[in-house]
Amino acid sequence: MATLSSTKNPVDNKNACLLFLQNRGGRVKLSELTFSQTVIQDLITKDIAKVKNTGNGYYLELEK
């Protein structure tokens, strides 16, 4: 399964990551993401997303 990746500016990458999360039902396994650590950390810092350990792996989930 292909994942969305971009080398544009950080705002575009953050928006692309948000769209990717929304298209996946708001939850994606961290190992499936190809976005940079900076983009993911920015979403977590701004309380847009959180990392959750489900016992089956770590997932990035939308807060809302």
Side-chain angles (χ1 to χ4, degrees), residues 9-22:
N9 67 42
V11 173
D12 288 342
N13 284 337
K14 188 172 90 171
N15 289 336
C17 188
L18 282 172
L19 284 173
F20 184 75
L21 278 167
Q22 289 171 346

Side-chain angles (χ1 to χ4, degrees), residues 4-64:
L4 186 60
S5 179
S6 179
T7 57
K8 296 179 182 178
N9 67 42
V11 173
D12 288 342
N13 284 337
K14 188 172 90 171
N15 289 336
C17 188
L18 282 172
L19 284 173
F20 184 75
L21 278 167
Q22 289 171 346
N23 289 335
R24 302 285 180 170
R27 182 178 180 194
V28 178
K29 201 168 192 177
L30 277 178
S31 62
E32 294 178 10
L33 291 174
T34 58
F35 296 98
S36 72
Q37 179 182 351
T38 306
V39 170
I40 295 168
Q41 185 63 50
D42 190 41
L43 294 176
I44 294 168
T45 303
K46 293 182 178 178
D47 292 327
I48 297 171
K50 63 181 176 182
V51 175
K52 185 174 183 182
N53 182 0
T54 62
N56 291 327
Y58 290 91
Y59 286 83
L60 183 67
E61 297 180 346
L62 292 174
E63 286 281 347
K64 299 176 183 177

